Amino acid sequence: MNPEPPPAESAPVGRRIVLGMLGLGVAGVAAAPVLQRGLESALGAAAGKDPTGLTGLLPNGGGFRYYSVAASVPHRGAADYRLTVDGLVDRPATYTLDALRALPQTRLVRDVQCVTGWRVPGTPFAGVRLSRLLDAAGVRPGAGAVRFTCFDGTYTESLDLEQARRDDVLVALSMQDRPVSHAHGGPVRLYVAPMYFYKSAKWLSGITVTSKVRRGFWEERGYDTDAWVGRSNGRDDHPTG
Ligand SMILES: Nc1nc2c(c(=O)[nH]1)N[C@H]1C(S)=C(S)[C@@H](COP(=O)(O)O)O[C@H]1N2
Ligand SMILES: [Mo]
């Protein structure tokens, strides 16, 4: 599948991610636009052959772009999906998809904002509040953060406990009022409404309560763990909203 050339305002999508993938990490992210533009032509060929589909536009995505740092991701559904909650908790648990569906669902409609500039206004997400799962597990004293792992085998994310307990942080089962598709991280993804979309880990399979924040995939590569939209280094050199 050949990714379409991205629209002009989001051309940096491939560039920034490729910088990260090449291990330039913090240096790459923090680099002046001039440096990035210089590198862009050098990286153009690599971006065009990007095996992860990082630069792909979702066919029916309604403005969303497909992101995966893993080259391929297994499909999971009601029969084989599991979400584990463990770490510094009194009652570790494993949820099936049906078990998550049986819990009270919360629906939020907010704007989605990626650090690379694209934005999708008014997107409905619904699912179980993360705080509910944490309460069910019984967070132990001394816990300070939550680490998220994914069944793509690669991506990780994190929140401190106060952020994780917010009402607008969901373990999402639906997006755009449909079950979360595989491409969007289904059957279950995290949705952290007030933060840049990289916090919203796709293909969520693990929630581990930890003592301290352990940086996630993009955070290891220079992006803020406290990724409040408009109030973190996720705001790049070409904001669109
Ligand atoms: N597992 C996983 N989750 C992920 C990512 C990823 O590469 N892998 N990319 C993040 C980024 S940078 C964005 S913008 C969104 C993209 O979500 P979408 O593919 O549904 O548009 O997922 C976030 N969650
Ligand atoms: Mo993103």
Side-chain angles (χ1 to χ4, degrees):
M1 181 176 75
N2 264 335
E4 292 178 29
E9 84 278 4
S10 45
V13 168
R15 170 174 77 213
R16 289 187 152 240
I17 287 173
V18 170
L19 285 168
M21 300 296 282
L22 290 182
L24 297 179
V26 175
V29 171
V34 155
L35 171 60
Q36 293 191 3
R37 280 187 199 110
L39 284 167
E40 184 179 13
S41 52
L43 297 173
K49 293 196 196 93
D50 181 1
T52 66
L54 285 167
T55 55
L57 206 45
L58 283 172
N60 297 308
F64 285 91
R65 282 160 187 283
Y66 176 73
Y67 278 70
S68 175
V69 298
S72 76
V73 182
H75 286 246
R76 292 204 182 151
D80 55 357
Y81 176 78
R82 298 290 183 275
L83 175 64
T84 59
V85 182
D86 60 15
L88 299 174
V89 296
D90 292 327
R91 297 172 294 278
T94 301
Y95 293 87
T96 63
L97 197 51
D98 285 339
L100 291 172
R101 285 175 180 147
L103 295 172
Q105 308 286 303
T106 298
R107 183 173 179 272
L108 299 172
V109 182
R110 302 289 165 79
D111 297 349
V112 162
Q113 177 76 56
C114 173
V115 291
T116 53
W118 58 269
R119 176 170 177 259
V120 183
T123 305
F125 285 83
V128 182
R129 283 204 173 109
L130 177 60
S131 63
R132 171 175 291 274
L133 300 184
L134 294 175
D135 288 347
V139 173
R140 289 193 182 154
V146 182
R147 174 171 168 79
F148 305 95
T149 50
C150 305
F151 64 82
D152 64 9
T154 306
Y155 204 76
T156 54
E157 253 306 331
S158 65
L159 290 171
D160 69 32
L161 209 47
E162 189 187 341
Q163 296 162 355
R165 289 195 195 278
R166 289 174 59 107
D167 280 355
D168 52 3
V169 176
L170 303 181
V171 170
L173 309 182
S174 92
M175 175 175 168
Q176 299 169 302
D177 290 325
R178 295 187 291 270
V180 181
S181 67
H182 178 73
H184 282 303
V188 178
R189 80 180 295 170
L190 190 68
Y191 178 53
V192 182
M195 295 193 181
Y196 285 101
F197 208 27
Y198 65 86
K199 300 299 291 189
S200 294
K202 299 162 65 166
W203 307 296
L204 182 66
S205 57
I207 297 173
T208 303
V209 178
T210 58
S211 55
K212 290 194 174 105
V213 167
R214 217 174 125 188
R215 285 180 300 175
F217 184 91
W218 286 118
E219 296 153 9
E220 292 273 324
R221 289 158 181 79
Y223 286 94
D224 283 346
T225 48
D226 298 334
W228 308 108
V229 172
R231 288 190 283 135
S232 67
N233 72 354
R235 180 187 281 271
D236 64 5
D237 54 315
H238 51 90
T240 58

